[in-house]
Amino acid sequence: DADVTQTPRNRITKTGKRIMLECSQTKGHDRMYWYRQDPGLGLRLIYYSFDVKDINKGEISDGYSVSRQAQAKFSLSLESAIPNQTALYFCATRPEGGGTDTQYFGPGTRLTVL
Amino acid sequence: GDSVTQMEGPVTLSEEAFLTINCTYTATGYPSLFWYVQYPGEGLQLLLKATKADDKGSNKGFEATYRKETTSFHLEKGSVQVSDSAVYFCALRSTGFQKLVFGTGTRLLVSP
């Protein structure tokens, strides 16, 4: 079973709709991240969380919100979706300390906003 | 701010060819450097990393050396395979920060 799962894997929605993307992990990591990937732009950080009570904005947080419901769950919401939020969204996790820099990525959610 | 610059792709090679994907960075202090790989339809996976100058990261036949004097971390492989076809991302983590900064990615296409 995958350690980091994302649901849904694909979603098509209309402008103005509220959308929630979910991420769950079984790795027991404290740190979780949401990125979006756009062609030619690489990955850009939207939000990150170091634990349930510690949530921080990334470089492109406008138009997004997050919820860390538990250590294992980190959801990304688009309150009112717009077409330029069409992208591939990735969740990632990382353990606290332990001397490792490795982030573990989920398989991604492809979101299309019409 | 910190940034990573990668060569644009796609890079198209025949099987068994030599691969180089260039990566340069701008950062304060002494960042850790990474290469991540994204296979079709999948998330990113760590390929290799280096945490200090002159370190060489290696994995699956790929290598990259942390060159502080040229602020570079070029990815190399002596003989690519079709299964190496993927998008490769260079990334850095600055000292004291817990976030990764990614390059734009370079797509590699290897033909038989």
Side-chain angles (χ1 to χ4, degrees), chain A:
Chain A
D1 288 340
D3 296 318
V4 184
T5 57
Q6 293 183 232
T7 56
R9 294 294 311 278
N10 288 282
R11 182 71 184 269
I12 299 174
T13 190
K14 295 181 178 180
T15 298
K17 294 292 187 181
R18 183 178 188 274
I19 296 296
M20 178 180 286
L21 309 183
E22 299 188 352
C23 176
S24 296
Q25 51 115 347
T26 58
K27 301 187 76 68
H29 293 167
D30 290 317
R31 301 182 179 195
M32 299 186 74
Y33 304 80
W34 274 106
Y35 295 90
R36 65 176 279 175
Q37 182 182 14
D38 299 276
L41 295 177
L43 274 75
R44 293 180 292 167
L45 183 63
I46 305 172
Y47 271 95
Y48 60 104
S49 170
F50 287 170
D51 64 36
V52 174
K53 296 182 180 180
D54 184 0
I55 293 177
N56 306 277
K57 293 183 177 180
E59 58 183 308
I60 55 162
S61 59
D62 287 349
Y64 301 94
S65 63
V66 291
S67 173
R68 185 82 184 265
Q69 302 95 322
Q71 186 203 40
K73 296 184 181 295
F74 192 36
S75 300
L76 176 72
S77 294
L78 288 68
E79 298 300 327
S80 179
I82 56 177
N84 76 1
Q85 292 177 312
T86 293
L88 189 54
Y89 290 84
F90 287 103
C91 174
T93 73
R94 176 178 179 267
E96 180 179 2
T100 178
D101 292 299
T102 303
Q103 291 191 12
Y104 297 84
F105 284 78
T109 295
R110 185 169 296 281
L111 177 66
T112 302
V113 183
L114 302 177

Side-chain angles (χ1 to χ4, degrees), chain B residues 12-82:
Chain B
T12 304
L13 295 173
S14 298
E15 205 164 25
E16 299 183 1
F18 184 86
L19 168 71
T20 300
I21 300 178
N22 290 336
C23 171
T24 57
Y25 67 90
T26 302
T28 55
Y30 300 91
S32 295
L33 301 174
F34 308 83
W35 278 100
Y36 278 80
V37 59
Q38 183 182 26
Y39 297 105
E42 299 182 11
L44 280 70
Q45 305 171 25
L46 179 67
L47 180 60
L48 54 83
K49 69 177 184 180
T51 57
K52 62 182 187 295
D54 300 325
D55 268 2
K56 177 184 286 187
S58 61
N59 186 25
K60 300 181 180 180
F62 291 89
E63 295 183 339
T65 301
Y66 189 143
R67 300 289 189 198
K68 188 164 179 62
E69 64 276 13
T70 55
T71 62
S72 64
F73 193 55
H74 305 321
L75 183 68
E76 298 181 336
K77 186 174 186 183
S79 177
V80 294
Q81 306 300 312
V82 173

